[in-house]
Amino acid sequence: MTVTTTSFWHPFANMAKLSVDGAVNIVRGEASTVYDDDGNAYLDGLGSLWYCNIGHGRAEIADAAAAQIRTLAAYQTFDRYTSPPVEALASRVAALAPFADAKIFFTTGGSESIDTAGKLVRSYWNLMGSPEKQYIISREHAYHGMNAYGTSLSGIPGNLRDFHPLVPTVGRVPWDDAEALRTEIARIGAENVAAFFCEPVIGAGGVIAPPDGYLPAVAAICREHDVLFVADEVVSAYGRLGRWFASDYYAIEPDIITTAKGLTSGYAPLGAVIVGPRVSEPFWSAGSAASFVHGYTYSGHTASCAIALANLDIIEREQLLDRVTTLVPVLEAAMLPLASHPLVGEVRAGTGLLAAVEIDSAAMAADPGLIARIVNEVRALGVLTRAARGVALQVSPPFVITEAEIARIGEAFAAGLDAAAR
Ligand SMILES: Cc1ncc(COP(=O)(O)O)c(C=O)c1O
């Protein structure tokens, strides 16, 4: 049954249309499947929104949450306060981080992680006596969330159209050209550039892996120009590429890594900014008088941290990173045949448990409602996808998805494309 929503304002939705069409009411989830209130099963090709890595319906997480909430649901962490799950999770994430001596600043999601990183790099340069280093450069197709920095750094024009003037100290470069970063730094002046923010694999912009050698090249350009390198791993951290971090996968060492989503697999909202020693040092070194004047009510939410610990336990115990590595070619094999469909422009797969089926641009231009119809057709066939950047069908399933279920995604996409073509 679709629900007619009278009060709930959906993100990114045309509420006038949705009020007529109704919402899909998801009431239950188990492993890679979610169910609506009529009992219809849907294979969750999205992992909800790139986050449900361990799959739905894990009683172990519910038990960990209940035990923690009975003991202490939450206590704030401003100034002197902490609690055992917060300490344990910070140590655990620091130990997983791709650099030594990581410090962890908790948030409640990816957008807050991005805004935290945006303010931290400025605070850092202030402390280092270079307050003019304010600019942050991002990439075309980038998605860095919806808070002030994230919106301003967006490389998806539709996401910032209504919000000018933006944070003015931002610049943008093409997604695939490392030398363009050098040119943009020169244009702004290295003495004015604080950081480069970069998703190792562009996610919401359409699942776009970097060209060979791109990430080491931009990391080197950042180092050369004394610009901090911030890897936005909100999608990729905690296993999406078969390693704990995309930074491991690509052998890069960013100064800061922003994370969220997979840290709890969505069982509670939580994000973590992982800060390397270069940036933390002036704040943490003995005798420093500096504070990072920033934080959220739920920075280090006690129960969320307990949930994250239980989530990381499951990823480790069930060896889900290896499972991702095993499933990548399976997903690629299921997706690549779609490239020959007349409505498909390009299929991208093979990097992590991620794929995108970009719809042919001429077909989209001729029929702007096409991709929404395909998404609906695929859902009617029992598989959930969405239109990333409005142009590509997104695939980012839970790590526990089976090979047979991956095959079903390919079949449903093919049938949904056929149905939309008729
Ligand atoms: C790369 C990236 N950064 C930041 C965000 C924002 O995260 P959130 O929606 O949790 O605020 C997202 C969300 O999809 C993301 O994909």
Side-chain angles (χ1 to χ4, degrees), residues 50 109-112 114 143-145 199 232 234-235 260-261:
W50 322 86
S111 299
E112 284 185 1
I114 285 292
Y143 184 83
H144 295 299
E199 296 164 87
D232 183 355
V234 167
V235 164
K261 299 190 188 274

Side-chain angles (χ1 to χ4, degrees), residues 28-44:
R28 190 165 71 81
E30 200 180 328
S32 295
T33 302
V34 292
Y35 299 84
D36 70 14
D37 53 359
D38 277 337
N40 296 310
Y42 302 95
L43 181 53
D44 184 7

